[in-house]
Amino acid sequence: GFVPEAKGFFELLEKLQKPDGSFAINYNPDAQSAFFDFGGDQNENDQPGMLPWGVSRVLDATGDTTWAAARWPAVERAANFLMSVSESGLIGKSRDLWELETGESWTYSNGSAIAGLEATAHIAQKLGRDGSRFAARATAIRAAMDRQLVTQDGWFGRGSKNGRLDARLEIANLALASGGFD
C-alpha cells in the first residue's frame, strides 16, 4: 500500500549505489555521502541483493514495467557485483551483518545474494531479457551453502571465518526461512 514510498526508496538506493554495484555500510542523513565506507571486502555483501529484491517486489505489486526498466541498470550492477565477488561457490569476503567483523563469507549475506540474484532473473524475464545467468548463480550459491555452511547438527552456521565454519547461531539467519531455506 506504500507504492510511492517504496519506489522512492529504491530510487534513492540507485543513487547511493557505488559504480561497482555495491554499497557503503551506511550513509549520512542527507543521502549525499557515505558515513562509513570501508571499501572492498570491508563493506557488507548483504546489501546489494536488497535493491533487485525490492524492485522485483514493487514490479510484482504494480506491474509497472516502465519503472522497473528504468531501474534495470542499477539492478544489473548489483547482480553483477554479487556474481563478481564469488569464491568457492559462496559470495566473497565481507563485514558481517552487525558490522563487527570480517569473514570469508557469511550465511545471511549468501541468502541475501540469492534473493537478489533470483529477483534479478525475475525482473529480466518480466522485461524480456535473459536473466538465466543470475538464476544459475543463485542456484550455485544455494548448493555451496548446503555444502559449506550447515553445521553437523543440521542448521546454518553463522558463516565461514578463517577457513572454518563458524557454527554459532545467528539470529538474522531466521530471515532465510522466508526465502525457501530449511
Side-chain angles (χ1 to χ4, degrees):
F2 295 97
V3 171
E5 293 85 356
K7 285 182 173 182
F9 175 74
F10 292 108
E11 290 166 13
L12 173 64
L13 283 185
E14 181 180 355
K15 291 175 186 168
L16 296 174
Q17 187 180 45
K18 295 169 68 169
D20 69 355
S22 69
F23 293 89
I25 293 228
N26 52 36
Y27 294 86
N28 288 306
D30 66 2
Q32 299 300 310
S33 60
F35 187 70
F36 285 118
D37 183 353
F38 299 109
D41 60 11
Q42 294 296 312
N43 282 330
E44 297 174 62
N45 287 339
D46 57 49
Q47 295 170 325
M50 181 177 36
L51 177 63
W53 177 83
V55 170
S56 177
R57 298 289 300 249
V58 171
L59 174 59
D60 286 348
T62 65
D64 190 345
T65 56
T66 302
W67 180 83
R71 309 284 75 75
W72 178 254
V75 166
E76 188 174 36
R77 270 192 308 277
N80 284 335
F81 175 80
L82 292 170
M83 298 202 29
S84 71
V85 297
S86 301
E87 58 185 44
S88 10
L90 299 171
I91 64 167
K93 186 176 179 181
S94 74
R95 196 171 289 267
D96 73 351
L97 179 68
W98 310 114
E99 303 165 0
L100 301 174
E101 61 183 315
T102 300
E104 282 89 32
S105 197
W106 302 108
T107 299
Y108 181 83
S109 296
N110 280 278
S112 178
I114 290 168
L117 290 166
E118 288 175 346
T120 302
H122 176 71
I123 294 165
Q125 183 268 324
K126 294 279 189 178
L127 298 178
R129 297 173 179 269
D130 180 13
S132 60
R133 68 187 182 104
F134 303 115
R137 186 69 196 118
T139 299
I141 294 171
R142 191 180 291 265
M145 287 178 70
D146 286 342
R147 286 190 313 273
Q148 299 175 52
L149 299 177
V150 176
T151 69
Q152 290 179 337
D153 294 319
W155 68 74
F156 281 114
R158 191 163 173 255
S160 176
K161 184 176 163 193
N162 300 323
R164 299 176 58 197
L165 175 63
D166 180 343
R168 292 179 290 173
L169 291 174
E170 171 66 68
I171 192 70
N173 290 349
L174 292 175
L176 299 175
S178 67
F181 292 87
D182 50 20

